[in-house]
């Protein structure tokens, strides 16, 4: 039901007038056969039923209530497929919309409102231009492909110029109204006088920056009505997905710019914050958790999201933020003190496998500290340009597939890229673990586990499923993360190429 203009789908009624108590919207559609009409409200990228007109007879129905409706764009939906259209509910909320199903657009009328009539003339003009296009297509029948293409291009150029001129004049005419604001949301701000680049062609860089810098021209983020339109959500999504550079730091800077345009706590602010937080918390693109952490740290955990999330949800977001902020690309990971497979059974015999409480584990640790100390393998003691840090479990079906793949891929890089694998078994089953290592011949990995539970792996490395693979640089900073086994060798090759390029520039 979204998007009008040259589709004949979106028909809007703009209403002005004095504020009155409640609302009463009469609908009269000659030829409609429905018994129910639904009044549906836009809210960002969702639509909700606001009211139902029952007992519709001969196309006549009424939406009526004692409390004024939220201002914005609504959709009238009927039981008959194809009988639906959008209209505005603004200051005046008592009016009548009428039309005839034989030609709904050209027969659309609103009772005594100049701005409504202006808008209807806009819709009728574009709808009729659409019909002209269809008529032109019909005239190409019997023509050759070359002739029909020339015929359509020549005529479409004329029609497009006419439509462009009409829209420019119309927007000048209605400037200062909510009608202008809505139409402005769907209007692309493109450069007109484009300079030439050195190759003699229009300067595409100039065009891009003009488009980006003027993208939000005329959009009032302080006006809550804009989220109740069919265009605002698409405009937001397009900006962050297609207009700006796909880079975490760029996205963060652009988010801050947009959020500053809003009034903190108003509907636009709340919906933008909720949408962007969810988008980047769910992002599968490596490195974009930095955007989520920025939103959480600067807008949510500091109390600026009271109208967006409950206190309970804020606490959950805070928990995720505290884990993720220390695992961003470039961050130094926590040290790990693990036990090698060689000492697995010996450590368990000390009683760690049967200890029930954290106190009993602690007591066992200090009791056996002298024996344990030489058994530890430290992550930071690994001397390699790259460390592949893998968290896995021998009883995990996915790990059973991925670990041999990882070993096979990395074996091809031996002698080419300086790397070592620190493979952390997340369970305490030594027998199955060692058997898998032998059977799959991955003994050249540094295979370790944590029977003493010294390391809070879940919190330190965000381990909620396995396998989880990180690539660390020589200083144990995160160079890549959350990789599949197939991606690791490609990533190492890419990191090596980047490093070589940097060395050339020095």
């Amino acid at each position: 039901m979204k998007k009008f203009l040259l589709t004949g789908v979106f028909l809007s009624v703009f209403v002005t007038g004095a504020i009155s108590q409640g609302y009463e919207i009469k609908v009269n559609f000659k030829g409609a056969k429905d018994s129910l009409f639904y009044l549906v409200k836009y809210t960002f990228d969702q639509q909700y039923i606001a009211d139902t007109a029952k007992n519709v007879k001969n196309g006549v129905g009424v939406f009526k209530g004692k409390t004024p409706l939220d201002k914005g764009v609504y959709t009238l939906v009927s039981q008959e497929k194809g009988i639906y259209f959008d209209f505005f509910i603004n200051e005046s909320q008592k009016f009548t919309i009428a039309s005839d199903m034989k030609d709904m657009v050209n027969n659309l009328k609103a009772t005594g409102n100049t701005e409504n009539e202006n808008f209807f003339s806009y819709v009728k003009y574009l709808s009729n231009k659409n019909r002209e296009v269809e008529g032109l297509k019909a005239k190409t029948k019997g023509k050759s492909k070359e002739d029909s293409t020339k015929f359509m291009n020549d005529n479409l150029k004329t029609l497009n110029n006419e439509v462009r001129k009409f829209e420019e004049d119309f927007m000048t005419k209605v400037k200062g109204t909510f009608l202008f604001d809505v139409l402005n949301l769907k209007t692309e701000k493109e450069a007109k006088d484009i300079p030439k680049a050195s190759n003699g062609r229009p300067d595409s860089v100039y065009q891009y920056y003009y488009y980006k810098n003027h993208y939000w021209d005329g959009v009032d983020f302080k006006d809550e009505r804009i989220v109740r339109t069919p265009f605002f959500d698409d405009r937001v999504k397009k900006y962050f997905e297609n207009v700006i550079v796909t880079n975490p730091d760029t996205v963060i800077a652009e988010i801050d710019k947009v959020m500053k345009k809003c009034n903190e706590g108003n509907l636009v602010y709340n919906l933008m914050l909720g949408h962007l937080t969810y988008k980047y918390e769910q992002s599968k693109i490596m490195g974009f958790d930095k955007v989520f952490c920025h939103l959480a740290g600067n807008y949510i955990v500091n109390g600026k999201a009271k109208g967006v999330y409950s206190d309970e949800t804020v606490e959950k977001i805070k928990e995720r933020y505290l884990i993720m902020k220390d695992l961003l690309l470039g961050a130094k990971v926590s040290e790990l003190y693990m036990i090698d497979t060689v000492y697995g059974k010996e450590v368990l015999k000390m009683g760690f496998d049967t200890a029930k409480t954290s106190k009993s584990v602690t007591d066992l640790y200090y009791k056996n500290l002298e024996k344990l100390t030489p058994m530890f393998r430290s992550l930071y003691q690994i001397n390699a340009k790259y460390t592949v840090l893998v968290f896995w479990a021998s009883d995990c079906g996915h790990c059973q597939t991925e670990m041999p793949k990882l070993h096979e891929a990395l074996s091809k890089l031996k002698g080419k890229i300086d790397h070592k694998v620190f493979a952390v078994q997340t369970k305490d089953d030594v027998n199955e673990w060692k058997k898998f290592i032998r059977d799959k011949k991955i003994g050249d990995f540094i295979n370790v586990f944590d029977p003493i539970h010294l390391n809070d792996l879940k919190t330190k490395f965000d381990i909620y499923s396995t396998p989880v693979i990180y690539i660390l640089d020589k200083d144990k900073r995160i160079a890549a993360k959350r990789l599949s086994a197939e991606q690791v060798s490609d990533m190492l090759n890419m990191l090596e190429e980047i490093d070589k390029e940097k060395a050339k520039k020095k």
Side-chain angles (χ1 to χ4, degrees), residues 384-431:
K385 187 172 183 180
Y386 303 105
T387 301
V388 179
L389 176 60
V390 188
F391 297 93
W392 69 292
S394 55
D395 63 350
C396 159
H398 191 43
C399 299
Q400 290 168 5
T401 301
E402 290 289 285
M403 291 301 285
K405 285 182 181 179
L406 178 65
H407 185 268
E408 182 182 0
L410 291 178
S411 64
K412 297 175 183 178
L413 297 181
K414 282 186 177 180
K416 298 177 182 178
I417 298 178
D418 179 20
H419 73 281
K420 290 182 181 177
V421 181
F422 198 73
V424 179
Q425 154 84 335
T426 58
K427 301 291 181 67
D428 292 342
D429 189 340
V430 173
N431 292 328

Side-chain angles (χ1 to χ4, degrees), residues 18 28 47 63 77 88 93 100 122 238 241 253-254 277 282 314-315 318 334 361 368 373 388 409 437 477-478 490:
N28 187 347
Q47 288 181 279
F63 297 102
V77 182
F88 292 5
Q93 300 197 4
D100 190 321
Y122 177 85
K238 181 179 180 180
E241 292 170 12
E254 293 295 336
T277 301
Q282 296 292 317
V314 169
E315 281 303 309
K318 184 178 180 179
S334 301
V361 171
N368 296 281
T373 300
V388 179
I437 291 170
R477 296 185 184 277
I478 299 173
D490 289 339

